[in-house]
Amino acid sequence: MSVAGFEVEVDRGSGLETEEMTLNMGPQHPSTHGVLRFVVKADGEVMRRAVPDIGYLHRSIEKISEKVGYHGFMPYTDRVDYVAAMFCNQGWGMVTEKLAGIEVPKRGEYCRVIAAELNRISSHLLAVGTMILDIGAITPFFHAFREREKINDLLEELCGARLTYNYMRVGGVAWDLPPGYEEKVLAFLNQLEPMLDEHYDLVSENTLFRGRAASVATISAETAISYNLVGPNLRASGVRYDVRRDEPYSVYPELEFDVPVGTGMAGEVGDSFDRYYLRVQEIRESVKILRQCFQQIPDGPVVAKVPRKLKPPAGDAQIRVESARGDMSWYAVSDGSEFPYRCKVRTGSFAAMSIIEEISQGLMLADLVTVIASLDIVAPEVDR
Amino acid sequence: MLQQFLDSLIADGVFGGLPRDIVYLIGMAAAGALVVFGFVLNVAGVTTFVERRVWARIQSRVGPNRVGPQGILQWLADGIKLLMKEEVIPFAADARLFKLAPFIVTIGFIAAFVAMPFSSVLIVADLNLGILYITAMTSLVVVGIMVAGWASNNKWSLIGGIRAAAQIVSYEIPAALSIFTVILVTGTLSMQGIIQQQGWGPWDWFIFHSPFTFVGFFITFISLLAEGNRTPFDLPEAESELVAGFVTEYSGARYLFFFLVEWGNLYVISAILVTLFLGGWQAPPIPVISDSAVGRNVLEFLTFFLKSYFGVVLMMWIRATLPRTRVDQLMTTCWKYLLPIAFFNFMGTALWVLVFPEGFRFAEILLTAVGFGLLGYFAYRVAFHLRRSGAQITLSPLS
Amino acid sequence: MDATEIFERLRAQFSDKIVSVDAEAVDPSAVVEGDAIVDVCKFLRDTEDLRCNVLTNQTGVDYKEDGYIEVVYHLYSYTHRHYAILKVRTPRDQGTIPSVESVWKAANWLEREIYDLLGVRFSSHSDLRRILMPEDWVGHPLRKDFVEPTEYHGISTTRESLLR
């Protein structure tokens, strides 16, 4: 019998031998955060192997880019990662600007950073909330989503959409900040911070939660780098690397923020708890960045003059954006026409997904859920 | 009481020439039906509604508020909806067992109400081994769950069923040992007997009888939570891991039965705890009301019901707050911690009863003070968190 | 170390295996002979002052007019914070490149994706199967001459226009 490409032996012994059980987790399963599938070989409650099977959400976004032109592709990038669409917008904008040599006005860059950091908070809230939900606590999830809802409202005011923003343009952003936006965002941030304290006491200090997440699926720094794990997952393994700080883009050099790394505060460095807690810390850093942005934002135009039919010179370019799920690498090839010749996005979840098979060996069945959630895998980002 | 009532009816010739035993049977069936339809189903149903509203408050939501005033009839609508839904029986399932399982579960749950003392006279049958009977009957639920898990022919259901079996069987032991600490003190298994030896004041409750029963209360509470498949021990139906565990393949009315048992069990668990440790129906004497038998019984019933329902709400609160344990942690908790402590408690209580056959008033008062001190500290922490988060509190249950 | 220096080092080490270096482009890159790619990558990863310890991206581009598929390797060094971009050209039909899975485990899935979408084979790859498309899909969608099948297992892939 063949399941997802590997042979399954069914041995009906006469004595008391035990058999491994093949479990099919997904494509429809409450905790796969989208349409993912795992083929799990389990010995009772212990997993021997968990093989991810992806492709259920493949929408051929890279192929679409070859047909719609540089400006026209922007709304499609939203769908690469619909939980953190701003970063995909920004990535596509940046790679096109690099190809065509377009300079973004200062205010436009600040608008981008404000939108992106708001989106990072909302994405991390979702990651943290759903991880707790997968571990079995329901209330912290609702608390996280209540705050996320407020960000959705803020972003809706900014760009008219709550999920697929299509806010950025090649050369800047679509609209300037609406009047009174600063007050609204700051009011939100002021009430978010005490909520994070409460969240810490409710979840991070919770013994049951620590028992479920600490020392589960530890990823060493070497493994993480070899698998090209990026963003919070990499930093949780103790590698202090953030594209925003180490390969600065946009206006991040003008902003001050820390890059937290995993410390193994509940177990080992690089365990599920570190990955979870790192995201909570990053929310605080984003709050810091947002406050600085509103102090420093200059006046001026928000979008550069870009021809409607953009024809970048032939060549290729790659850029990296620190998305909510880590270093998102965009590679685009231009042949001098108005359509991109080839576009490729390498996302954080793709790498995170490929590591699951290695780290899931010998864990309990319930831990697979923790692992998926702690790696913050968003299915559309894996398949694109 | 029922027997006297039936005897008087027979003496009046209401049943004609029917044999005495058959009259008793009819009488018990009628009383059973009254309890089941008049109380059990309603309590279980209303509990689903209450839980949803309590959760909603905890989670800053509104909750169901459309069906009837403040959504009070939501549980009826849900029940009717589930009854009218198509029942899907998987093709590969063992159809007979699949159909049978919900009824085994329901029998185990409803039979527990037979020995449930609602007041000094309101009890279907005051069995002389009451608490043992209830423990045995609630354990019947596990048989149903295992049958359901097996018959569904679904690997997730099977894992859920096996988890349930391992969990309930394991936690039965510390639960039973802790229940026996109370039996050691009372010397009777009868539910009424246990309650009659307690008083209405907290210092007369068995929870504060000795340090051992004090610890025993918490062990019983944890163990019964685990037996009732409640968070943090809801592994058999862990929705994020096992889809829905043993109920994955169920739909319609059969699903309703599992639903009913899960929420009804909350009340059973609380009622056991209240009976054993929290003074049961013992109500303070109120001059006018307590004089008449009816008034006294109503008062006792209300006391018992409110105490039990407080436990139910407590369990809802726990479920809304805590995450779920993992199966190995669950077993470790039981076998490495709860069981030795429960055993130590058991021996300790035996010693205590030997040294202080009539109880030790000073310890009772002291433990009561400690108990209320803990509650006070808890309230203080709650106040601190409220102040820090600056959260807005709406005390009104209305939305 | 900037890109030109890295490519100088590569030329010194591998001389004729480095086909060409494009130092003037937006992102400087070097074209490497296919059979030397594993050695070049190992050299880049293991040499102390190069230390390109991560494969951030690997993808393929189909240059139909020129008759080859170019596989692009984006290497990055967490230690020294520099990039190295390598390109390997392979014929469009039956192109085979040695797999760099032994150098970086990240290459496993990235190469599967290139195989799936562009049809480049990777020799000594541990598990070369389709990853995004169904196992029985015909063709490689990101090739420029790919024609979408009209149906897949009886499911039509075209949709009637609602504006008829």
Side-chain angles (χ1 to χ4, degrees):
Chain A
M1 190 165 67
S2 170
V3 176
F6 64 89
E7 287 299 308
V8 181
E9 284 175 35
V10 181
D11 179 12
R12 303 198 183 282
S14 54
L16 284 169
E17 304 97 344
T18 55
E19 303 172 2
E20 283 187 352
M21 178 165 56
T22 308
L23 272 167
N24 187 24
M25 185 170 166
Q28 310 293 339
H29 187 277
S31 61
T32 49
H33 300 192
V35 195
L36 290 178
R37 176 166 172 244
F38 290 87
V39 179
V40 180
K41 291 257 262 178
D43 180 6
E45 289 268 350
V46 182
M47 278 192 297
R48 293 279 173 249
R49 224 177 142 198
V51 185
D53 180 17
I54 65 169
Y56 290 94
L57 270 173
H58 181 54
R59 291 143 299 159
S60 50
I61 282 178
E62 289 166 11
K63 184 81 179 171
I64 291 171
S65 78
E66 296 169 14
K67 312 276 181 193
V68 293
Y70 290 91
H71 293 301
F73 187 48
M74 193 59 90
Y76 289 94
T77 61
D78 288 334
R79 277 79 181 168
V80 171
D81 176 1
Y82 46 59
V83 179
M86 283 295 179
F87 301 101
C88 310
N89 277 191
Q90 197 179 8
W92 179 246
M94 278 167 62
V95 76
T96 313
E97 286 147 18
K98 190 170 178 182
L99 270 176
I102 298 166
E103 185 86 6
V104 181
K106 203 75 187 197
R107 191 176 172 86
E109 289 283 19
Y110 270 102
C111 288
R112 278 187 178 183
V113 170
I114 288 169
E117 293 301 325
L118 276 174
N119 202 185
R120 190 189 309 279
I121 296 177
S122 102
S123 171
H124 279 346
L125 281 173
L126 180 125
V128 165
T130 50
M131 173 162 177
I132 302 157
L133 181 70
D134 286 348
I135 284 179
I138 300 156
T139 304
F141 166 78
F142 277 101
H143 288 181
F145 263 57
R146 183 186 60 202
E147 303 306 316
R148 186 170 178 269
E149 204 62 21
K150 291 172 188 161
I151 300 180
N152 281 351
D153 289 343
L154 286 172
L155 288 174
E156 187 183 13
E157 191 175 337
L158 185 64
C159 58
R162 297 168 68 82
L163 208 60
T164 49
Y165 308 112
N166 188 21
Y167 175 55
M168 296 181 194
R169 295 285 181 269
V170 176
V173 294
W175 299 279
D176 202 347
L177 302 178
Y181 200 61
E182 180 179 348
E183 288 73 41
K184 280 179 191 162
V185 175
L186 290 181
F188 165 72
L189 297 180
N190 286 339
Q191 65 92 32
L192 177 70
E193 279 179 323
M195 291 316 296
L196 289 174
D197 292 333
E198 187 185 82
H199 183 86
Y200 180 84
D201 285 346
L202 184 60
V203 183
S204 312
E205 288 273 294
N206 188 312
T207 317
L208 285 171
F209 179 75
R210 287 197 171 198
R212 282 296 301 274
S215 302
V216 167
T218 308
I219 303 176
S220 69
E222 291 77 50
T223 321
I225 290 175
S226 180
Y227 271 99
N228 186 19
L229 219 56
V230 289
N233 299 334
L234 177 73
R235 290 192 281 278
S237 297
V239 183
R240 199 179 288 273
Y241 182 83
D242 188 318
V243 183
R244 288 176 293 172
R245 189 194 66 167
D246 296 299
E247 294 288 330
Y249 58 93
S250 194
V251 289
Y252 284 110
E254 300 169 19
L255 301 164
E256 264 184 43
F257 57 97
D258 296 329
V259 178
V261 288
T263 53
M265 64 182 284
E268 302 157 13
V269 175
D271 59 8
S272 298
F273 184 85
D274 270 359
R275 288 194 284 276
Y276 150 81
Y277 191 60
L278 198 93
R279 294 197 168 83
V280 180
Q281 283 172 302
E282 283 201 356
I283 295 176
R284 292 187 191 272
E285 296 306 321
S286 291
V287 170
K288 248 193 242 175
I289 294 175
L290 279 168
R291 289 191 197 280
Q292 290 173 44
C293 280
F294 281 112
Q295 279 165 15
Q296 297 175 8
I297 185 165
D299 286 332
V302 292
V303 63
K305 284 243 177 288
V306 181
R308 187 155 292 184
K309 273 203 174 162
L310 185 60
K311 290 183 182 173
D316 59 350
Q318 80 126 1
I319 57 97
R320 293 161 76 193
V321 177
E322 181 71 23
S323 133
R325 264 157 285 290
D327 169 10
M328 182 183 254
S329 173
W330 284 82
Y331 175 70
V333 182
S334 161
D335 60 349
S337 72
E338 59 182 295
F339 298 110
Y341 190 72
R342 170 87 170 91
C343 150
K344 153 86 185 170
V345 49
R346 207 269 306 122
T347 55
S349 297
F350 188 77
M353 196 71 183
S354 65
I355 204 172
I356 285 182
E357 185 172 348
E358 176 162 330
I359 59 174
S360 62
Q361 284 166 11
L363 293 179
M364 309 289 288
L365 205 55
D367 286 335
L368 180 59
V369 174
T370 318
V371 172
I372 302 169
S374 77
L375 286 168
D376 189 15
I377 288 169
V378 173
E381 216 200 11
V382 181
D383 300 338
R384 303 178 300 287
Chain B
M1 189 196 91
L2 186 68
Q3 194 179 358
Q4 291 159 3
F5 178 64
L6 287 176
D7 281 341
S8 70
L9 284 184
I10 291 167
D12 293 349
V14 176
F15 293 102
L18 274 176
R20 189 165 282 249
D21 289 346
I22 290 180
V23 174
Y24 284 165
L25 206 66
I26 293 169
M28 279 173 76
L34 195 72
V35 170
V36 169
F37 291 108
F39 187 75
V40 178
L41 294 184
N42 293 323
V43 164
V46 171
T47 304
T48 64
F49 166 73
V50 172
E51 173 156 276
R52 291 174 67 179
R53 282 303 286 261
V54 168
W55 277 23
R57 277 276 162 260
I58 292 174
Q59 296 162 351
S60 335
R61 294 185 288 123
V62 176
N65 66 346
R66 294 285 139 178
V67 188
Q70 287 301 317
I72 190 89
L73 297 177
Q74 182 69 42
W75 62 280
L76 270 180
D78 286 347
I80 292 166
K81 182 202 78 174
L82 279 172
L83 280 174
M84 295 201 300
K85 272 201 155 183
E86 183 193 358
E87 277 196 55
V88 182
I89 296 175
F91 180 70
D94 187 333
R96 265 188 211 160
L97 287 179
F98 188 83
K99 288 178 189 163
L100 185 67
F103 300 115
I104 303 178
V105 174
T106 318
I107 287 169
F109 154 66
I110 286 177
F113 277 90
V114 169
M116 206 59 83
F118 296 107
S119 81
S120 51
V121 291
L122 268 180
I123 182 167
V124 177
D126 183 17
L127 304 174
N128 53 6
L129 37 74
I131 183 66
L132 206 61
Y133 166 82
I134 288 182
T135 320
M137 275 304 150
T138 46
S139 308
L140 202 60
V141 172
V142 70
V143 179
I145 289 177
M146 267 191 82
V147 169
W150 167 257
S152 299
N153 199 3
N154 175 324
K155 283 169 186 167
W156 299 114
S157 302
L158 183 63
I159 293 180
I162 291 171
R163 274 185 180 185
Q167 175 180 334
I168 296 177
V169 169
S170 304
Y171 275 87
E172 201 87 304
I173 301 166
L177 276 174
S178 305
I179 288 171
F180 285 150
T181 56
V182 174
I183 310 295
L184 279 176
V185 177
T186 59
T188 173
L189 289 165
S190 149
M191 298 292 266
Q192 294 289 38
I194 292 169
I195 294 176
Q196 272 153 11
Q197 295 194 18
Q198 304 179 62
W200 64 268
W203 49 90
D204 284 331
W205 295 351
F206 281 147
I207 178 178
F208 300 128
H209 183 265
S210 73
F212 303 106
T213 48
F214 188 66
V215 177
F217 168 76
F218 293 101
I219 294 179
T220 320
F221 184 57
I222 294 170
S223 308
L224 288 180
L225 264 184
E227 278 188 56
N229 298 334
R230 291 292 291 187
T231 311
F233 307 108
D234 61 341
L235 290 107
E237 47 195 310
E239 74 282 339
S240 59
E241 299 155 21
L242 304 182
V243 189
F246 57 89
V247 287
T248 308
E249 299 288 355
Y250 280 92
S251 56
R254 287 176 219 284
Y255 178 72
L256 180 69
F257 278 115
F258 282 112
F259 222 81
L260 192 78
V261 172
E262 188 182 335
W263 269 271
N265 250 339
L266 288 185
Y267 187 81
V268 175
I269 292 169
S270 298
I272 294 174
L273 280 170
V274 167
T275 307
L276 291 176
F277 293 101
L278 300 178
W281 39 255
Q282 293 279 11
I286 296 174
V288 184
I289 302 170
S290 298
D291 289 344
S292 73
V294 174
R296 199 172 65 240
N297 272 302
V298 167
L299 196 64
E300 284 167 357
F301 176 79
L302 280 180
T303 314
F304 187 79
F305 186 80
L306 288 179
K307 275 182 189 170
S308 306
Y309 222 78
F310 176 74
V312 172
V313 175
L314 190 68
M315 278 184 268
M316 292 169 183
W317 188 356
I318 288 174
R319 180 164 179 193
T321 311
L322 291 181
R324 183 183 306 123
T325 58
R326 207 167 50 207
V327 72
D328 57 329
Q329 295 164 345
L330 178 89
M331 289 297 156
T332 318
T333 318
C334 177
W335 294 102
K336 282 196 182 161
Y337 299 102
L338 291 186
L339 190 56
I341 297 172
F343 199 74
F344 174 76
N345 255 330
F346 185 62
M347 304 308 285
T349 316
L351 215 66
W352 188 274
V353 172
L354 211 63
V355 179
F356 308 107
E358 298 301 318
F360 184 32
R361 198 35 115 175
F362 177 69
E364 285 169 13
I365 303 284
L366 193 70
L367 279 166
T368 313
V370 168
F372 280 92
L374 282 175
L375 279 179
Y377 179 68
F378 178 74
Y380 168 75
R381 290 297 297 174
V382 170
F384 167 76
H385 282 278
L386 285 180
R387 230 181 7 255
R388 192 184 58 180
S389 69
Q392 307 238 320
I393 304 289
T394 324
L395 283 175
S396 155
L398 307 179
S399 55
Chain C
M1 202 181 285
D2 73 352
T4 24
E5 278 177 70
I6 294 171
F7 295 140
E8 285 305 313
R9 289 284 301 277
L10 280 183
R11 268 203 196 283
Q13 184 76 18
F14 293 97
S15 58
D16 57 328
K17 294 290 184 188
I18 310 297
V19 181
S20 64
V21 170
D22 184 0
E24 304 302 309
V26 187
D27 285 327
S29 61
V31 180
V32 181
E33 285 284 352
D35 51 1
I37 185 69
V38 177
D39 292 332
V40 172
C41 286
K42 279 202 172 124
F43 174 74
L44 280 168
R45 185 191 65 174
D46 295 334
T47 313
E48 192 52 51
D49 56 343
L50 297 173
R51 195 62 81 204
C52 290
N53 44 13
V54 59
L55 175 72
T56 61
N57 198 357
Q58 184 185 8
T59 188
V61 187
D62 177 19
Y63 291 102
K64 187 164 152 251
E65 271 70 48
D66 303 329
Y68 60 80
I69 291 178
E70 196 173 71
V71 176
V72 190
Y73 299 74
H74 289 93
L75 316 185
Y76 183 72
S77 168
Y78 282 141
T79 333
H80 304 298
R81 313 262 192 261
H82 58 220
Y83 291 97
I85 301 173
L86 305 176
K87 292 178 176 176
V88 174
R89 288 171 183 169
T90 182
R92 292 188 78 238
D93 46 337
Q94 298 299 314
T96 306
I97 298 175
S99 164
V100 294
E101 197 197 341
S102 57
V103 190
W104 299 285
K105 284 175 178 166
N108 184 337
W109 275 32
L110 288 165
E111 283 175 354
R112 275 178 74 184
E113 189 186 316
I114 298 168
Y115 163 70
D116 186 0
L117 301 180
L118 284 148
V120 180
R121 299 199 147 267
F122 290 89
S123 55
S124 70
H125 188 284
S126 65
D127 182 27
L128 199 64
R129 289 181 289 125
R130 284 188 180 272
I131 187 168
L132 295 175
M133 309 300 288
E135 304 242 331
D136 54 353
W137 189 262
V138 182
H140 301 283
L142 276 183
R143 288 193 172 217
K144 291 288 172 187
D145 54 0
F146 174 72
V147 183
E148 199 182 359
T150 48
E151 63 161 48
Y152 173 71
H153 286 294
I155 308 161
S156 170
T157 58
T158 51
R159 193 167 48 162
E160 279 179 33
S161 169
L162 292 173
L163 303 172
R164 258 177 306 164

